């Protein structure tokens, strides 16, 4: 998910000067946050299943987690994912 998010930012974040990846873990989950400072007014395409944002959302769900993506207030885009450390039940 981190790699896909960075790839999407490099491909779609117009005029971005920064991409930041943060990963944090505790006993129950792993949290991923990828942000960029690109122009978010152009929008970013949702692609077919298995690729891009839709694929990340599907994969997170299969693991019992969540994944969300969208524009930031002002500039940029953020992808956040929370995955349980134990996987789906």
């Amino acid at each position: 998910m981190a790699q896909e998010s960075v790839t999407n930012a490099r491909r779609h974040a117009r005029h971005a000067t920064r991409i930041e990846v943060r990963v944090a873990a505790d006993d129950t989950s792993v949290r991923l946050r990828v942000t960029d400072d690109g122009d978010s007014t152009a929008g970013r395409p949702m692609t077919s299943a298995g690729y891009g944002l839709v694929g990340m959302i599907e994969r997170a769900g299969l693991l019992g987690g969540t994944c969300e993506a969208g524009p930031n207030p002002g500039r940029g885009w953020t992808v956040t994912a929370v995955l349980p450390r134990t996987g789906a039940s």
Side-chain angles (χ1 to χ4, degrees):
M1 288 184 178
Q3 180 178 353
E4 182 73 27
S5 297
V6 170
T7 298
N8 286 346
R10 291 192 53 164
R11 186 173 292 150
H12 301 294
R14 292 189 179 136
H15 310 294
T17 61
R18 180 184 54 79
I19 300 170
E20 182 177 282
V21 178
R22 290 186 181 194
V23 179
D26 59 29
D27 291 341
T28 61
S29 63
V30 176
R31 290 174 173 72
L32 169 69
R33 185 171 192 260
V34 179
T35 60
D36 68 63
D37 65 351
D39 181 5
S40 59
T41 61
R44 297 189 188 182
M46 296 291 279
T47 58
S48 61
Y51 300 99
L53 298 175
V54 171
M56 288 191 295
I57 292 166
E58 290 175 350
R59 289 189 297 276
L62 289 172
L63 294 170
T66 61
C67 180
E68 299 176 348
N72 299 328
R75 287 184 63 87
W77 189 271
T78 297
V79 176
T80 56
V82 179
L83 303 175
R85 292 187 66 138
T86 59
S89 305

